[in-house]
Amino acid sequence: MDFQAFLITFREALEALLIIGVIVTYLTRIGEKRWNKWVWLGVVLALLSSYGVALAFQVVLTGFAAMASHIYLKIGILLVSSALLTHMILFMAKQGRDMKDEVQSKVAAILTTGSVINMIVHAYLITLREGIETVFFFAAISGGDIEQAIRSWGALFGLIVAIVVAWTFFRGARRVPLGTFFKITGAFLVLIAAGLFVQGVGIMQDIGMLGTMYRTPGGQIGALYDLTWLMPEHPQDYEHYVRDFGVAPLVSGQVGIFFKAFLGYTQDPSVEEFLAYWGYYFLVFALLIRQRKKESSAAAVSEARTTSSAKVTA
């Protein structure tokens, strides 16, 4: 969970810091530095609101647990978190190129109206969106224990690294290839999202919400294959294998539990879990390729129009 918390916090914090950094830098360069304090006020208010959302969400999760409905809320959180992460991956795949121009245009519009409230609200909503998404993702990766995720070393380290990267980028001490950062973290987030999705599918099958196309002669959900001999998904499964077969699996269950939390690894997946896991990758990569083709086509059309206009002017 720590590594998941690190990636999620780093990605969310970095995006918020970059956008806020663009606003502050733009205001400073056009001689409107007096507005910066209102930007930071909006950020502080958003952080306090995000913490309040985390507390409220934890109360809701605890209440569902008391009503024995926690499992259904957990399924919903897993599936929605996977969808939100997927949206983030697709959004950030194109965000780095035009983020600066879009942010500066919005800030220029706010300065035109001369509204302090608008500036505060703009910074507030930018930060609050990332904060709420982080809370939701933490609920998914921690099984509902948001406080545990917030207090993990991964969350703290992710925030520190995001601050360092953003500060270095805006200071210009060295050129930070943000596109590379987004691609690398995006690849890891794809793995996390696939893991959350397949965990949701597995839980639905465990409680009978989802059927299967393959059952054992005893009527149980059949496994497509069994890798317990290689790497059990939990230390308890490791102990059971040693007890039943008298030999130890090749890889410890401690390693298996890490891969289960990080990648959604399952030692004996059902047909549906297998198809859901690899089908998710196929869908995401197909969407990324489609998005890239649309951007290339739009760029080609724009270039053709520019060339045509230049010829007419000449």
Side-chain angles (χ1 to χ4, degrees), residues 185-224:
T185 56
F188 280 114
L189 288 176
V190 169
L191 299 176
I192 293 176
L196 294 176
F197 180 58
V198 77
Q199 285 183 53
V201 172
I203 294 175
M204 285 192 289
Q205 286 191 312
D206 289 340
I207 65 175
M209 286 182 62
L210 186 65
T212 181
M213 63 180 71
Y214 172 56
R215 293 186 179 275
T216 65
Q220 303 297 318
I221 295 177
L224 192 60

Side-chain angles (χ1 to χ4, degrees), residues 169-192:
F169 178 75
F170 285 105
R171 286 286 295 179
R174 62 181 175 84
R175 187 67 178 176
V176 179
L178 291 177
T180 302
F181 270 108
F182 288 145
K183 287 178 182 178
I184 294 174
T185 56
F188 280 114
L189 288 176
V190 169
L191 299 176
I192 293 176

Side-chain angles (χ1 to χ4, degrees), residues 116-178:
V116 171
I117 297 298
N118 285 346
M119 186 65 76
I120 294 174
V121 170
H122 185 56
Y124 175 83
L125 293 177
I126 288 171
T127 310
L128 182 64
R129 183 191 67 185
E130 311 301 336
I132 292 178
E133 287 182 352
T134 301
V135 170
F136 209 92
F137 296 149
F138 279 0
I141 66 176
S142 65
D145 192 349
I146 301 174
E147 183 180 359
Q148 181 187 6
I150 293 176
R151 293 170 57 184
S152 68
W153 68 261
L156 176 62
F157 191 52
L159 179 60
I160 292 173
V161 173
I163 292 173
V164 171
V165 170
W167 180 84
T168 305
F169 178 75
F170 285 105
R171 286 286 295 179
R174 62 181 175 84
R175 187 67 178 176
V176 179
L178 291 177

Side-chain angles (χ1 to χ4, degrees):
M1 185 192 71
D2 285 321
F3 189 61
Q4 290 173 302
F6 165 75
L7 285 172
I8 289 170
T9 306
F10 170 71
R11 187 65 176 255
E12 296 287 347
L14 181 60
E15 182 179 350
L17 287 170
L18 287 176
I19 296 175
I20 296 300
V22 167
I23 293 175
V24 172
T25 302
Y26 177 68
L27 290 172
T28 301
R29 288 180 177 176
I30 65 174
E32 295 289 349
K33 194 174 181 179
R34 60 191 176 90
W35 289 86
N36 287 347
K37 60 184 178 182
W38 303 116
V39 174
W40 291 115
L41 176 59
V43 172
V44 171
L45 292 175
L47 291 175
L48 293 175
S49 298
S50 298
Y51 186 71
V53 170
L55 292 178
F57 205 12
Q58 187 66 72
V59 171
V60 171
L61 289 171
T62 303
F64 268 79
M67 294 185 296
S69 301
H70 183 261
I71 191 68
Y72 299 104
L73 183 60
K74 182 177 181 180
I75 292 171
I77 290 173
L78 288 170
L79 297 180
V80 172
S81 295
S82 179
L84 287 174
L85 279 173
T86 304
H87 176 266
M88 183 197 304
I89 293 161
L90 297 173
F91 177 72
M92 290 306 296
K94 63 178 181 179
Q95 183 72 351
R97 290 184 290 275
D98 52 12
M99 177 181 68
K100 184 176 180 180
D101 293 337
E102 290 182 4
V103 171
Q104 290 182 353
S105 297
K106 290 180 182 179
V107 173
I110 293 174
L111 292 177
T112 301
T113 63
S115 173
V116 171
I117 297 298
N118 285 346
M119 186 65 76
I120 294 174
V121 170
H122 185 56
Y124 175 83
L125 293 177
I126 288 171
T127 310
L128 182 64
R129 183 191 67 185
E130 311 301 336
I132 292 178
E133 287 182 352
T134 301
V135 170
F136 209 92
F137 296 149
F138 279 0
I141 66 176
S142 65
D145 192 349
I146 301 174
E147 183 180 359
Q148 181 187 6
I150 293 176
R151 293 170 57 184
S152 68
W153 68 261
L156 176 62
F157 191 52
L159 179 60
I160 292 173
V161 173
I163 292 173
V164 171
V165 170
W167 180 84
T168 305
F169 178 75
F170 285 105
R171 286 286 295 179
R174 62 181 175 84
R175 187 67 178 176
V176 179
L178 291 177
T180 302
F181 270 108
F182 288 145
K183 287 178 182 178
I184 294 174
T185 56
F188 280 114
L189 288 176
V190 169
L191 299 176
I192 293 176
L196 294 176
F197 180 58
V198 77
Q199 285 183 53
V201 172
I203 294 175
M204 285 192 289
Q205 286 191 312
D206 289 340
I207 65 175
M209 286 182 62
L210 186 65
T212 181
M213 63 180 71
Y214 172 56
R215 293 186 179 275
T216 65
Q220 303 297 318
I221 295 177
L224 192 60
Y225 52 79
D226 191 343
L227 296 178
T228 309
W229 60 271
L230 175 63
M231 183 172 65
E233 64 185 48
H234 195 278
Q236 189 173 5
D237 294 308
Y238 181 93
E239 295 173 1
H240 290 170
Y241 188 87
V242 173
R243 180 196 62 193
D244 295 339
F245 296 94
V247 294
L250 296 179
V251 182
S252 169
Q254 296 292 344
V255 177
I257 198 173
F258 167 78
F259 279 101
K260 182 174 181 62
F262 177 42
L263 304 176
Y265 168 75
T266 303
Q267 62 193 19
D268 52 352
S270 65
V271 174
E272 290 73 22
E273 287 176 312
F274 181 86
L275 293 176
Y277 189 75
W278 294 107
Y280 173 84
Y281 287 128
F282 176 81
L283 175 63
V284 169
F285 289 126
L287 290 174
L288 287 172
I289 292 172
R290 180 172 177 268
Q291 178 176 285
R292 183 169 297 181
K293 287 182 177 179
K294 288 179 64 176
E295 291 176 1
S296 299
S297 299
V301 171
S302 178
E303 184 178 352
R305 287 176 178 175
T306 302
T307 303
S308 177
S309 299
K311 289 180 178 179
V312 171
T313 303

